[in-house]
Amino acid sequence: MIVLASLPGQFVDAIDFILHERESVSGGVQVGGLGEMADLTANHIAVSGVAIVAAVALSLPLGLLLGHTGRGEFLAISVSNVGRAVPSLVLLFFFLAYLGIGFVNVATVLFLLAIPPILTNTFVGVRQVDRDTVDAARGMGMSETQIVRRVELPLALPTIFTGIRLSAVAVLATATIAPLANVLTLGTPITEDQTYGAAGQLGAAILVATVTLGADGLLRLLQRAMTPRGLKLGADEGPPEKRKLTLPAMRRESTT
Amino acid sequence: MSEALFSAPPLAQVEIQERTGESCIANNGFCPDWIVDNFDRYVGPFFEHIYLTVVSVGIGFAIAFALALAAHRVRWTFGPISGVTQVLYTVPSLAAFFLLQPITGRGNLTAIVALVAYTLFIFFANISAGLQNVPGDVKDAGQGMGLTDRQLLWKVELPLALPEILAGLRIATTTTIGLATLAFFAGGDGLGRVLAEQPFFKSNVVIAGGLTVLLAAAFDLLILGVQRLAMPWRRAAIA
């Protein structure tokens, strides 16, 4: 197997591309190296970060409001279905063809992509909060705002964070095709293979995967840090023990 | 690939005021005439797209189904399988296309492997959730009736897990249709390839993009229809 023999070599070459500058495939310019890859990574994270922060700023309050009042279920749920049906590439090309290229347009596309998972998960997370708990909070004299901020939001946090993670991963993945709209990201070596070559493509792919997994991991840590302690006790789900023939145990009806 | 991506813009520079068919194309506009004349260009890629999706979702489902049953039987495998599939799910497909190329080369194979890897977590999570949500009383009743483990699985647990399983199928299918538009990066086929050939030509973007969205909507409705047929007892609950 010649392919297998050359396999480590290609990955070593790709790592070398990330670490050391080299002349481009077409000649003339120097490409790769830590400097350029760090710049591209920073730009990649910048355009994604703007979109994610803006999407959270819009979707989180809206999801909390809709979830708290119980209105707009159709909107909150179907936005996700529609979001899934419209591929990121199609959305990007629609923007390219009708509005043109550039940072703002790409950030807008990423922003639109980031909304559905956060909005839907916030809505679902709030709706899943035990109604008895909310009633108890109301009975204790909490105002509606207090109920949202001190009861529903903390209890919905794990679900909300799952939505934010899904969004962040999707946005970081899609930022890879941003060079098609003239925004330099880690996708640049991938789309301009005549300049960057196979090593550049593979090197950039390695960085994209690393950045995405890293962002996912960071958000998991943040989620763990922000989740109320009481919730963590029941959080380690995993499948329940397999039940052998026993007397039926008392079972609490699940509320979800 | 990249030449095609960046060959279109010069056309946009040409300014022709008359709204004839020619100028519409020169302006990269939305031209019904051009679409009618060139629609056959999209038929092949459309079916390639379906092929990529169906094969990827089919293989992904088969693997994840086996994994979910394994995790259902042997409890401790749940965590590791869930973790590994989640990592595969998090790695962007676009990166996976290039990470796989040294191993599988350029072409549909690479695209399919990456898409399958992406669907595993969706299927595994949904099938596992479905099996876990089967009420213990129902299983007890089955065992009490003398069902073996295998009979219990196929006659009680899986039918009751069907809503979650089909929900997973819907998510995986629509997502795969979307991701398959990127298959051209892996040297694969599909509507993404024609889309990227003329990204600034509105007619092309609208038709290729529109077909992708339609395809996703059609598959979604199809699975929803299957769901209603397969689970007549849930019809009242859904409505």
Side-chain angles (χ1 to χ4, degrees):
Chain A
M1 291 287 283
I2 304 157
V3 181
L4 280 181
S6 68
L7 181 60
Q10 294 193 46
F11 282 99
V12 170
D13 197 23
I15 301 287
D16 181 65
F17 179 90
I18 298 172
L19 297 178
H20 306 289
E21 259 190 349
R22 59 171 71 178
E23 194 174 2
S24 72
V25 178
S26 46
V29 282
Q30 293 293 111
V31 294
L34 275 179
E36 185 182 5
M37 296 322 266
D39 282 350
L40 291 176
T41 307
N43 220 3
H44 195 103
I45 294 173
V47 70
S48 310
V50 168
I52 296 165
V53 169
V56 171
L58 174 82
S59 320
L60 189 62
L62 185 62
L64 287 175
L65 178 75
L66 294 179
H68 180 73
T69 57
R71 284 191 212 131
E73 175 164 3
F74 181 75
L75 169 79
I77 301 296
S78 55
V79 75
S80 262
N81 291 331
V82 174
R84 259 200 310 276
V86 180
S88 49
L89 186 75
V90 174
L91 198 61
L92 183 74
F93 280 162
F94 262 106
F95 266 67
L96 283 191
Y98 282 92
L99 295 172
I101 56 180
F103 187 93
V104 175
N105 282 346
V106 170
T108 310
V109 168
L110 298 179
F111 164 72
L112 291 176
L113 280 176
I115 292 174
I118 305 175
L119 182 59
T120 304
N121 275 41
T122 306
F123 178 84
V124 170
V126 172
R127 293 311 296 166
Q128 277 178 349
V129 172
D130 196 336
R131 285 299 106 187
D132 295 344
T133 313
V134 176
D135 285 344
R138 199 167 280 136
M140 284 170 67
M142 282 191 179
S143 72
E144 296 302 304
T145 328
Q146 282 176 321
I147 291 175
V148 172
R149 287 181 48 188
R150 293 169 59 180
V151 177
E152 290 177 332
L153 179 60
L155 288 173
L157 214 54
T159 316
I160 294 174
F161 255 102
T162 305
I164 296 179
R165 277 196 296 117
L166 283 175
S167 281
V169 166
V171 165
L172 285 166
T174 309
T176 315
I177 53 175
L180 303 184
N182 236 1
V183 173
L184 297 182
T185 65
L186 282 173
T188 306
I190 289 179
T191 49
E192 290 175 24
D193 56 328
Q194 304 101 319
T195 309
Y196 290 86
Q201 282 190 321
L202 190 54
I206 292 172
L207 286 179
V208 169
T210 311
V211 166
T212 314
L213 288 171
D216 189 65
L218 274 181
L219 285 170
R220 278 174 195 276
L221 288 180
L222 190 65
Q223 170 178 356
R224 185 169 285 213
M226 288 177 68
T227 305
R229 200 149 44 99
L231 274 184
K232 281 184 201 160
L233 297 175
D236 277 329
E237 335 128 45
E241 284 303 302
K242 185 165 188 179
R243 292 163 51 81
K244 282 290 166 197
L245 246 183
T246 49
L247 286 173
M250 289 295 283
R251 198 179 304 278
R252 196 169 153 269
E253 283 300 318
S254 82
T255 50
T256 50
Chain B
M1 168 189 78
S2 303
E3 296 112 298
L5 283 169
F6 296 101
S7 62
L11 278 178
Q13 311 286 329
V14 183
E15 277 193 37
I16 300 172
Q17 295 301 321
E18 296 144 340
R19 296 208 168 259
T20 63
E22 282 304 304
S23 80
C24 173
I25 295 167
N27 282 326
N28 277 329
F30 179 73
C31 326
D33 294 344
W34 183 90
I35 291 167
V36 172
D37 290 343
N38 292 275
F39 196 74
D40 49 339
R41 292 162 42 128
Y42 297 95
V43 176
F46 181 74
F47 285 106
E48 288 159 12
H49 210 97
I50 295 179
Y51 166 80
L52 279 179
T53 306
V54 171
V55 171
S56 306
V57 169
I59 298 175
F61 182 82
I63 297 175
F65 189 73
L67 289 176
L69 290 193
H72 189 57
R73 276 276 147 86
V74 190
R75 299 284 153 170
W76 63 266
T77 59
F78 180 87
I81 296 175
S82 179
V84 170
T85 53
Q86 204 155 3
V87 169
L88 293 176
Y89 176 76
T90 309
V91 172
S93 332
L94 191 54
F97 289 150
F98 289 98
L99 294 173
L100 283 167
Q101 275 181 35
I103 305 160
T104 48
R106 286 183 66 75
N108 278 337
L109 176 65
T110 305
I112 288 171
V113 173
L115 293 175
V116 165
Y118 191 84
T119 60
L120 288 181
F121 176 69
I122 304 174
F123 281 132
F124 180 77
N126 276 275
I127 298 172
S128 298
L131 291 174
Q132 281 169 38
N133 288 349
V134 175
D137 299 345
V138 178
K139 285 191 265 188
D140 287 343
Q143 280 174 328
M145 286 170 67
L147 295 185
T148 63
D149 274 359
R150 176 180 299 196
Q151 284 172 325
L152 193 67
L153 178 69
W154 289 94
K155 293 189 170 172
V156 177
E157 294 178 295
L158 283 174
L160 287 175
L162 215 50
E164 284 92 344
I165 296 176
L166 287 175
L169 185 61
R170 284 177 68 190
I171 296 175
T173 308
T174 39
T175 315
T176 304
I177 290 171
L179 290 175
T181 55
L182 299 171
F184 71 94
F185 280 108
D189 302 317
L191 286 163
R193 181 184 288 284
V194 268
L195 191 60
E197 272 166 9
Q198 294 170 293
F200 298 94
F201 184 25
K202 294 190 183 89
S203 312
N204 180 54
V205 171
V206 170
I207 295 306
L211 283 174
T212 319
V213 176
L214 273 183
L215 197 59
F219 266 97
D220 203 36
L221 286 177
L222 184 73
I223 299 167
L224 199 64
V226 170
Q227 188 170 353
R228 299 245 165 148
L229 284 178
M231 295 177 296
W233 65 89
R234 298 241 332 163
R235 218 174 273 161
I238 288 171

